[in-house]
């Protein structure tokens, strides 16, 4: 909130938005997603998944892509319940 009482919105970075967009896509086969992550985003798959995991708990990500974030949260909870 600013000094004059207005709420400031902090948006996702371009990389964060791209990670969510990649996660919302379907991929044709094994390796295609990892190749696209390296070539399209310039990230290693490990770094991509680190960012993705952080975004799952980020309210900005939920506002930006609620369907994707909620789907990922459901998957994460199901995996935790199996352990």
């Amino acid at each position: 909130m600013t000094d004059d009482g207005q709420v400031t919105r902090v948006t996702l970075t371009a990389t964060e938005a791209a990670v969510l967009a990649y996660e919302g896509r379907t991929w044709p086969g094994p390796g295609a997603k990892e190749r696209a992550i390296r070539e399209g985003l310039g990230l290693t798959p490990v770094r991509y998944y680190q960012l993705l995991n952080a975004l799952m708990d980020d309210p900005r990500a939920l506002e930006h892509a609620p369907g994707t974030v909620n789907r990922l949260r459901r998957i994460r909870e199901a995996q935790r319940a199996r352990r």
Side-chain angles (χ1 to χ4, degrees), residues 36-49:
I37 290 167
R38 288 182 191 278
E39 294 172 3
L41 298 177
L43 298 171
T44 65
V46 169
R47 182 65 185 137
Y48 171 88
Y49 287 108

Side-chain angles (χ1 to χ4, degrees), residues 40-81:
L41 298 177
L43 298 171
T44 65
V46 169
R47 182 65 185 137
Y48 171 88
Y49 287 108
Q50 288 172 337
L51 286 170
L52 181 61
N53 281 317
L55 285 168
M56 283 195 293
D57 297 318
D58 189 327
R60 299 172 306 141
L62 182 60
E63 185 176 317
H64 180 81
T68 299
V69 172
N70 284 324
R71 177 179 55 82
L72 293 169
R73 286 178 176 179
R74 282 191 307 272
I75 291 167
R76 179 175 62 183
E77 289 306 312
Q79 289 171 340
R80 285 181 179 167

Side-chain angles (χ1 to χ4, degrees), residues 12-26:
L12 296 174
T13 66
T15 300
E16 291 169 332
V19 166
L20 290 172
Y22 271 51
E23 203 56 34
R25 291 182 53 188
T26 57

